[in-house]
Amino acid sequence: MAAPKARALGPEEKDECMKIFDIFDRNAENIAPVSDTMDMLTKLGQTYTKRETEAIMKEARGPKGDKKNLGPEEWLTLCSKWVRQDDEEEILRAFKVFDANGDGVIDFDEFKFIMQKVGEEPLTDAEVEEAMKEADEDGNGVIDIPEFINLMRRSKAELMRD
């Protein structure tokens, strides 16, 4: 599989990519470990040979870049290759990233981690719990794929109204 070609990112796409970068920048050092990045790409359904992976990372890092970490500009270069229109397939790929333990549902801790990383301000446990209840349509304490799809579509619709 050939690596996708980069395309220019719009302001909203850059913002979304940087929110994801912040999730991988665990120590707030303005870097994302390459190993985590490749894990994320795998969860998003991107499968490459070792040679293709090395070429993608080399392109994102540039000739003198850090081999173990990506900075924000390198991250955006990488992101520009994978940003696509928001359809159900993309939402399913995002679900896999949010479902950190791979059990097929997003539990409170996974949801809290994501909500606190992507929000403008850190959320309290009560705020995260309220958002979780809103997303958890059947009230079973977890967000499954259909609920996640509905949540993403509602979020997108709200953004379009603003």
Side-chain angles (χ1 to χ4, degrees):
M1 169 189 274
K5 293 185 180 188
R7 69 172 183 78
L9 297 174
E12 291 177 10
E13 293 169 325
K14 283 183 181 178
D15 186 49
E16 288 303 311
C17 284
M18 290 312 299
K19 287 178 181 177
I20 295 169
F21 176 84
D22 290 342
I23 293 169
F24 288 98
D25 181 16
R26 292 187 183 129
N27 298 323
E29 296 174 330
N30 220 21
I31 58 171
V34 168
S35 59
D36 288 353
T37 302
M38 293 316 300
D39 182 50
M40 186 244 351
L41 291 176
T42 300
K43 286 181 179 180
L44 291 173
Q46 307 295 331
T47 53
Y48 298 101
T49 65
K50 184 177 179 182
R51 181 176 289 172
E52 289 169 330
T53 299
E54 289 169 355
I56 291 165
M57 286 298 143
K58 185 176 181 180
E59 182 181 342
R61 286 191 311 268
K64 297 181 182 177
D66 180 346
K67 292 184 180 193
K68 293 184 181 183
N69 299 295
L70 295 176
E73 289 304 315
E74 298 160 329
W75 177 262
L76 287 174
T77 298
L78 184 65
C79 258
S80 70
K81 295 174 174 283
W82 284 280
V83 173
R84 299 184 190 118
Q85 290 184 349
D86 185 20
D87 60 10
E88 192 165 311
E89 183 178 318
E90 291 302 309
I91 294 172
L92 291 174
R93 288 185 179 135
F95 180 87
K96 290 179 182 178
V97 173
F98 286 45
D99 179 20
N101 64 6
D103 65 355
V105 294
I106 299 171
D107 63 28
F108 178 81
D109 291 333
E110 291 166 327
F111 191 68
K112 177 181 174 182
F113 179 77
I114 296 299
M115 293 296 291
Q116 290 184 333
K117 283 293 192 176
V118 274
E120 303 273 325
E121 302 173 10
L123 300 177
T124 66
D125 281 358
E127 291 169 323
V128 173
E129 195 170 306
E130 184 62 32
M132 178 93 177
K133 282 180 187 175
E134 200 173 299
D136 179 19
E137 298 167 1
D138 62 9
N140 67 350
V142 295
I143 300 170
D144 59 25
I145 292 172
E147 291 168 334
F148 187 76
I149 290 170
N150 291 339
L151 173 65
M152 293 295 103
R153 288 186 175 153
R154 282 193 311 267
S155 297
K156 183 176 180 180
E158 286 174 20
L159 286 173
M160 299 296 265
R161 282 187 291 225
D162 291 340

